[in-house]
């Protein structure tokens, strides 16, 4: 990498606080396959504010990872745009994009696959520092030790090979690499799901602490709803390529508006076996339909217990309401009124 340090038009970020860290505008990602067009992400509008953690949940295959890759320009959108800190990264040339890459990053589920096992930890952490020319060579060892310390690793570990590490240590190294260039946006795609249960909590705590100290915005993708509730400021629920609800974490977990959100939350196992035994049971019937051919109208209607005729023909748009207490929620459901009220999912269930 020996690019001259020229200023790039349009490549300067906007530091002002009201510019979101990430703004996805009508984002679409279709894959052409032999069986037809897979509509992995099919018209998503989403914002993450500076310094905010947005949780992203939804069944397997709903498009979360695809959205995460689009958000850090690892996949090119079919249409729509990805605006990071005021810059549309989906329109940047290869060279401008490389220059901007230090301000956004991603960590994956399996830290083994994103790290070269033949590198030492020190080399792995130094690599992004070199690529983005963050320190001079003579300051490098000290900077690496400093970064390792931030992710809770002792400096001696710098000499070990990546393949010698435990899963938890490897994920800490991935976080160190991702955060070394001090990004303003981090996408974490199921960062703890491949880890032993005993170390998941410590890695979650680390992410929470790092986010608090460094202030980056984070798209936190997870199947672990308890982790999302613990970490996220707001939560987006995805279904078959679309966002069906976005709300602050408390509203979403206490009073989900979209029927899918409610069923997703109620289908998750509770940690307390007594609570698990006595809770009302709603089962999500049937499989996620194929993204090759999403249902007409509301994509959730074939599995929705309260769908009406309109749901079968007319696709609901995301609508925003202000909830009692002042928080806003967005949802795409014909059956929720402007007060956030809709019919209960089970007729004889006490509502609320
Ligand atoms: N490169 C690709 N080519 C074709 N289809 C793809 C490709 N990548 C993803 N898909 C399809 O897009 C849809 C969404 O996949 P994605 O991996 O984004 O889901 P996800 O929500 O992350 O699922 P999980 O929770 O299992 O990780 C799936 O139907 C998947 O098969
Ligand atoms: Mg995924």
């Amino acid at each position: 990498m020996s690019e001259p340090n020229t200023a790039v038009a349009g490549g300067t970020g906007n530091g002002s606080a009201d510019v979101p860290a990430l703004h996805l505008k009508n984002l679409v990602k279709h894959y052409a396959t032999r069986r037809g067009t897979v509509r992995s992400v099919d018209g998503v509008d989403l914002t993450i504010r500076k310094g905010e953690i947005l949780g992203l949940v939804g069944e397997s295959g709903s498009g979360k990872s695809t959205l995460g890759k689009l958000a850090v320009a690892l996949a090119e959108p079919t249409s729509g745009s990805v605006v990071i800190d005021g810059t549309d990264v989906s329109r940047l040339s290869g060279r401008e994009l490389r220059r901007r890459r230090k301000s956004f990053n991603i960590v994956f589920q399996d830290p083994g696959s994103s790290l070269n096992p033949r590198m030492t930890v020190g080399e792995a952490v130094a690599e992004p520092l070199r690529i983005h020319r963050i320190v001079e060579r003579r300051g490098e060892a000290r900077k690496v030790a400093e970064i390792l310390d931030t992710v809770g690793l002792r400096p001696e570990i710098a000499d070990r090979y990546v393949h010698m590490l435990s899963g938890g240590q490897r994920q800490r190294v991935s976080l160190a690499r991702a955060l070394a260039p001090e990004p303003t946006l981090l996408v974490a795609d199921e960062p703890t799901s491949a880890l032993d249960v005993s170390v998941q909590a410590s890695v979650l705590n680390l992410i929470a602490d790092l986010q608090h100290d460094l202030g980056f915005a984070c798209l936190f993708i997870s199947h672990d709803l308890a982790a999302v509730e613990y970490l996220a400021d707001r939560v987006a629920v995805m279904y078959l390529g679309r966002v069906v609800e976005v709300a602050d974490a408390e509203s979403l977990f206490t009073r989900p508006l979209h029927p899918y959100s409610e069923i997703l939350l109620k289908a998750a196992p509770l940690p307390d076996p007594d609570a698990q035994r006595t809770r009302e049971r709603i089962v999500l019937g049937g499989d996620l339909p194929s993204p090759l051919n999403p249902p007409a109208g509301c994509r959730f209607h074939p599995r929705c217990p309260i769908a009406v005729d309109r749901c079968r023909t007319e696709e609901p748009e995301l609508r925003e309401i202000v909830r009692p207490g002042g928080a806003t929620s967005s949802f795409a459901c014909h059956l929720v009124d402007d007060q956030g009220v809709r019919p209960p999912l089970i007729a004889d269930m006490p509502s609320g």
Side-chain angles (χ1 to χ4, degrees):
M1 298 248 159
S2 56
E3 304 164 3
N5 247 336
T6 48
V8 179
T12 50
N14 189 330
S16 101
D18 48 353
V19 173
L22 175 69
H23 191 174
L24 306 179
K25 294 183 189 170
N26 198 10
L27 195 59
V28 173
K29 181 66 181 178
H30 290 173
Y31 290 105
T33 69
R34 269 179 300 149
R35 291 166 53 231
T37 302
V38 182
R39 301 161 173 270
S40 305
V41 170
D42 212 16
V44 166
D45 287 284
L46 199 61
T47 330
I48 306 184
R49 300 178 197 121
K50 293 207 164 107
E52 175 182 60
I53 301 187
L54 182 85
L56 183 61
V57 300
E59 266 165 293
S60 187
S62 54
K64 305 180 299 296
S65 294
T66 307
L67 194 74
K69 284 183 208 141
L70 290 167
V72 293
L74 287 180
E76 210 179 304
T78 305
S79 62
S81 54
V82 176
V83 182
I84 297 177
D85 204 8
T87 301
D88 186 348
V89 298
S90 41
R91 304 279 175 278
L92 294 181
S93 70
R95 188 217 230 180
E96 291 166 38
L97 186 59
R98 274 197 300 282
R99 223 176 59 83
R100 294 275 305 176
R101 274 214 177 275
K102 68 175 180 199
S103 64
F104 46 91
N105 227 326
I106 186 165
V107 289
F108 294 104
Q109 172 174 7
D110 176 11
S113 66
S114 54
L115 295 173
N116 179 346
R118 291 179 206 291
M119 273 190 175
T120 64
V121 170
E123 286 162 354
V125 176
E127 192 178 52
L129 298 176
R130 285 179 196 171
I131 290 174
H132 298 297
R133 301 206 195 117
I134 289 168
V135 284
E136 295 192 1
R137 285 291 168 109
R138 52 196 171 81
E140 195 179 273
R142 197 202 300 173
K143 184 74 182 169
V144 167
E146 201 180 290
I147 295 169
L148 289 175
D149 182 59
T150 351
V151 297
L153 292 172
R154 302 174 61 81
E156 305 87 84
I157 212 167
D159 298 328
R160 288 220 226 136
Y161 284 94
V162 165
H163 70 83
M164 297 170 166
L165 304 180
S166 71
Q169 287 172 327
R170 274 205 291 259
Q171 196 57 294
R172 284 171 194 267
V173 173
S174 304
L175 280 166
R177 271 168 65 88
L179 297 174
E182 299 179 8
T184 52
L185 173 70
L186 178 75
V187 173
D189 190 353
E190 307 205 36
T192 62
S193 61
L195 302 179
D196 197 280
V197 182
S198 63
V199 297
Q200 287 185 0
S202 65
V203 173
L204 282 179
N205 284 330
L206 174 66
I207 295 174
D209 290 346
L210 289 170
Q211 195 277 333
H212 180 265
D213 296 344
L214 306 175
F216 51 84
C218 179
L219 178 66
F220 179 75
I221 301 173
S222 184
H223 285 275
D224 181 347
L225 296 175
V228 171
E229 189 171 9
Y230 165 66
L231 272 187
D233 301 300
R234 286 189 307 142
V235 181
V237 181
M238 237 181 138
Y239 187 79
L240 213 55
R242 307 220 26 155
V243 166
V244 297
E245 181 163 358
V246 190
D248 64 284
E250 198 194 332
S251 303
L252 188 91
F253 282 97
T254 53
R255 275 202 70 143
L257 297 178
H258 198 285
Y260 178 65
S261 311
E262 182 173 340
I263 294 174
L264 190 71
L265 300 187
K266 289 192 169 151
L270 295 176
D272 173 2
D274 285 337
Q276 172 68 15
R277 218 172 322 109
T278 54
R279 84 193 315 196
E280 57 203 14
R281 221 170 277 268
I282 302 181
V283 184
L284 189 54
D287 291 331
L288 185 73
S290 165
L292 281 165
N293 195 6
C298 170
R299 285 167 196 221
F300 186 56
H301 88 256
R303 300 165 88 191
C304 181
I306 54 172
V308 297
D309 279 347
R310 185 181 178 198
C311 309
R312 292 177 246 282
T313 54
E314 195 186 321
E315 180 151 26
E317 294 294 321
L318 265 187
R319 277 189 290 148
E320 188 175 277
I321 58 163
V322 179
R323 304 179 73 155
T328 57
S329 282
S330 302
F331 54 89
C333 175
H334 295 309
L335 298 167
V336 181
D337 71 15
D338 291 343
Q339 270 66 52
V341 177
R342 66 153 159 78
L345 297 183
I346 295 175
D348 60 356
M349 183 179 94
S351 61

